[in-house]
Amino acid sequence: QVQLVESGGGLVQAGGSLRLSCAASGRTFRSYNMGWFRQAPGKEREFVAGMSRNADLTVYADSVKGRFTFSRDNAQNTVYLQMNSLKPEDTAVYFCAAGSRPGTYYYVRRQYEYDYWGQGTQVTVSS
């Protein structure tokens, strides 16, 4: 069982930056692929970034590539999403997730391959 708690969301102007954190409970954190997803009002939840348990694979959605950076600190049981050059279309509730599937491109991108989810943190980017 893994419990995930996101933090770091807020209101920022376009072009600004935020860093989201996701703290995980449990001693097996390093056994999980980790992912960030987001859901904007009236839209389906979508993939943002994913990282394999060994951190040897990081995948980004095309919409955030070059602007967002995903990192993990296994010693602190925490993952981070550094978001730069934010745009109004980045406005959404951001969720982190943990999954026990193999750490391959196929699994780290698919939300249904994740087992545990946080409650989400709101990110609002004003124009």
Side-chain angles (χ1 to χ4, degrees):
Q1 188 80 13
V2 176
Q3 292 184 326
L4 304 171
V5 179
E6 302 96 335
S7 61
L11 173 64
V12 64
Q13 288 188 331
S17 298
L18 284 173
R19 189 176 82 154
L20 304 184
S21 300
C22 174
S25 65
R27 294 176 291 177
T28 59
F29 172 76
R30 62 184 66 228
S31 300
Y32 292 93
N33 302 327
M34 298 299 294
W36 286 99
F37 295 79
R38 67 187 182 187
Q39 187 167 20
K43 295 187 177 181
E44 294 186 352
R45 189 164 56 188
E46 64 176 5
F47 170 77
V48 175
M51 181 179 288
S52 63
R53 63 177 58 82
N54 296 326
D56 56 353
L57 173 68
T58 306
V59 181
Y60 297 95
D62 288 343
S63 58
V64 307
K65 201 172 295 182
R67 299 188 297 122
F68 290 11
T69 302
F70 191 175
S71 60
R72 70 187 292 165
D73 184 341
N74 285 341
Q76 298 294 323
N77 281 13
T78 302
V79 296
Y80 304 96
L81 186 68
Q82 177 67 44
M83 306 186 296
N84 299 329
S85 302
L86 283 161
K87 304 175 181 180
E89 51 264 43
D90 294 318
T91 295
V93 178
Y94 283 71
F95 300 89
C96 75
S100 58
R101 308 298 190 271
T104 63
Y105 181 83
Y106 178 90
Y107 289 107
V108 300
R109 294 187 71 252
R110 287 166 170 78
Q111 60 177 304
Y112 298 109
E113 303 296 346
Y114 285 83
D115 306 298
Y116 305 103
W117 292 83
Q119 82 290 348
T121 186
Q122 176 71 47
V123 171
T124 303
V125 184
S126 63
S127 58

